[in-house]
Structure formats: structure tokens, C-alpha cells
Amino acid sequence: MKSKIALECLSALAHEHRLNLFRLLVQAGDEGMAVGELVEATGLAGATLTNHLNILRRAGMVTDERRGRVIQCRADYTQMDALLGFLTENCCTGSPGKNCKPASSCKPTRKTP
Amino acid sequence: MKSKIALECLSALAHEHRLNLFRLLVQAGDEGMAVGELVEATGLAGATLTNHLNILRRAGMVTDERRGRVIQCRADYTQMDALLGFLTENCCTGSPGKNCKPASSCKPTRKTP
DNA sequence: TTCATATTTCCAGAATAGTCGAAATATATG
DNA sequence: CATATATTTCGACTATTCTGGAAATATGAA
């Protein structure tokens, strides 16, 4: 992951509402949550929520898919993984004697099928 | 790590200059870097740099120690580790079937003695 | 087509963050 | 003490981000 994208991811998560939003989506698992459900869950105005979602989308932390009138959002675990990797790398590289193990793998939690 | 502190850490790192600053300190290892050296390295005005340092300090990502007239700064690896732990936990907990391994350990890179 | 629902875009005001010169503080040295 | 160096605080300005109402767009249903 490039520094610029890592910065976008960090900025995306560095806000109370957006961190909360991302956690909600993580907990929702593969199913994800509709924008309307997120409005309900957070109590934010629609326009405000869309703004935050757009920031998470631009950073690649959230993906979505239209299902009829509803837009279903999901946390992107791959991007979160890449961010963890970036932080881990940049915590120790650049000098000899690296001490960091590779970032832990972060897979979606599947709903019981 | 509590959510509020994690947010402070994320906000601290979510800025071009501060991420750069933190990386410089990580690369500097246990020795750390003086504020003056950081001013040189970044080209920022003293007041601006102090502002960014204060944000990193409040978040616990940077510690420092006075050595005579000079203030020597260091990256706090423990806090970085805690942040990685928080992100990893919150990437998968809250629902059954956790898939994340524990966050990798992040130790300072020691200068060759 | 007409109506209802879901979401986004547009816009503007309010709040917060970033920047840096100048003055203040802390420490060392002569 | 007086002077020099290192860093921080203060104060003011600019830039960015956050917020939500209202209008626009998209889809589905009658």
C-alpha cells in the first residue's frame, strides 16, 4: 500500500462517526448493511451519512452494491489488511534488525450458513 | 486500548507531516531525534512542528525527554502496537468465528551497539 | 404514467485544524 | 549576571472538514 492511500485510510477511520460506521459494517459481516439501516443505527442525517460513506469509499474501506432501491454497504477487509500491513512495515523498516512480524490476516466473519 | 484513544492515535497519524514525523522517529530508533533535527528534516516552522508533536504526544505515539537545552523525541512502539491491536480486534470481533490473529508485535529497531 | 422509497448531490453556514511570526520560557555558557 | 540556543506558547489568519435542509436522481410498484 502506498503512503498516500494509507493516509486516506487513516483519515477515513480517524473520525468518531466513521470509525463507528466501519465497525458496524464489520460486525454485519458479509451481508453488510443498507444505507438506510446505517442512518437508523447512527441517527445521522442522510446527507451527513452519505458524506462519511463517500470518504470511506474513496479510501477503499467500504464497498457497496445496489439491490433495487437499496444500496448495501460492506467493510472491505482486504483494504483494512493492507492498512495494517502498511503500519506494521512502517513501524520497523528503514533500519536494520526488523522486529515486526507480518501483519495479521483479517478475513470477514461469515454469518453461520 | 479504548476507542477514544484509538481515535486520537488514528487522527495523529492521519496527517502527511505527522505520519512522516512518526516514521522519521521510528527509523531513528531508540536514540530518537531532537526537535531541532526534526525541524531540519521536515523544513517546517518551529511553531508548526511543535503543534504536530503535541498532537502525537497527546495521542501517546511520541514521548520525549529533555537533555539540557535539547528535547529528544522517540516513537512509542507500545502505543503503536496497541493501536494495531485495536484495529485488528475491531476488524473481527463482535461476531462469531473470529478470523484475526493477534496483532503483530512491534519493537523498536535498536541501533547497532 | 404517477406515486412512494432510497440515496445522493448541492449549497451554505458552523466548527475544527493547520500555519507561522513574534513573544515567552527554559537551559547552558561565559 | 548577560548572552546565546532550543523549544514552546500566543495570536491571528487561512484552509479544510463537518453538518444537514432542500432539491435532484434512481429504482420499484400501482
Side-chain angles (χ1 to χ4, degrees):
Chain A
M1 176 180 278
K2 296 221 171 133
S3 188
K4 197 192 158 196
I5 298 185
L7 256 156
E8 255 192 299
C9 291
L10 287 169
S11 297
L13 294 179
H15 186 279
E16 188 186 350
H17 294 160
R18 290 194 297 265
L19 186 58
N20 186 31
L21 224 37
F22 187 76
R23 291 168 78 176
L24 282 172
L25 290 176
V26 165
Q27 287 172 21
D30 277 350
E31 185 62 17
M33 282 175 85
V35 175
E37 292 177 305
L38 291 170
V39 166
E40 277 250 332
T42 60
L44 295 173
T48 304
L49 192 109
T50 295
N51 178 29
H52 288 313
L53 277 179
N54 282 340
I55 290 168
L56 287 163
R57 284 162 175 153
R58 242 176 293 150
M61 303 294 297
V62 165
T63 58
D64 47 28
E65 171 197 11
R66 184 176 274 277
R67 281 192 199 168
R69 277 182 293 201
V70 167
I71 290 180
Q72 198 74 7
C73 302
R74 287 188 205 79
D76 189 318
Y77 306 90
T78 306
Q79 190 76 338
M80 177 52 122
D81 220 12
L83 176 61
L84 290 171
F86 176 90
L87 291 176
T88 307
E89 266 180 45
N90 285 276
C91 177
C92 294
T93 54
S95 40
K98 306 171 185 179
N99 262 324
C100 273
K101 291 161 195 158
S104 62
S105 174
C106 208
K107 295 278 181 59
T109 47
R110 301 192 180 276
K111 298 247 162 170
T112 42
Chain B
M1 175 181 277
K2 295 218 172 137
S3 186
K4 196 190 160 194
I5 299 185
L7 252 154
E8 258 193 299
C9 291
L10 286 169
S11 297
L13 294 179
H15 186 279
E16 187 185 349
H17 294 158
R18 290 194 297 265
L19 185 58
N20 185 31
L21 225 37
F22 187 76
R23 291 168 78 176
L24 282 171
L25 290 175
V26 166
Q27 288 172 20
D30 277 350
E31 184 63 17
M33 283 175 84
V35 175
E37 292 178 304
L38 291 171
V39 166
E40 278 251 331
T42 60
L44 295 173
T48 303
L49 194 109
T50 294
N51 179 29
H52 288 312
L53 278 178
N54 282 340
I55 290 168
L56 286 162
R57 284 163 176 151
R58 244 176 301 167
M61 303 294 298
V62 166
T63 58
D64 46 29
E65 171 198 10
R66 183 177 275 276
R67 281 191 199 168
R69 277 183 291 200
V70 168
I71 290 180
Q72 199 75 10
C73 302
R74 287 189 205 79
D76 189 317
Y77 306 91
T78 306
Q79 190 76 338
M80 177 52 120
D81 221 10
L83 176 60
L84 290 172
F86 175 90
L87 292 176
T88 305
E89 267 180 44
N90 284 275
C91 177
C92 296
T93 53
S95 39
K98 304 172 186 179
N99 263 323
C100 275
K101 292 159 194 159
S104 62
S105 175
C106 208
K107 294 278 181 55
T109 47
R110 300 190 181 278
K111 299 245 166 174
T112 42

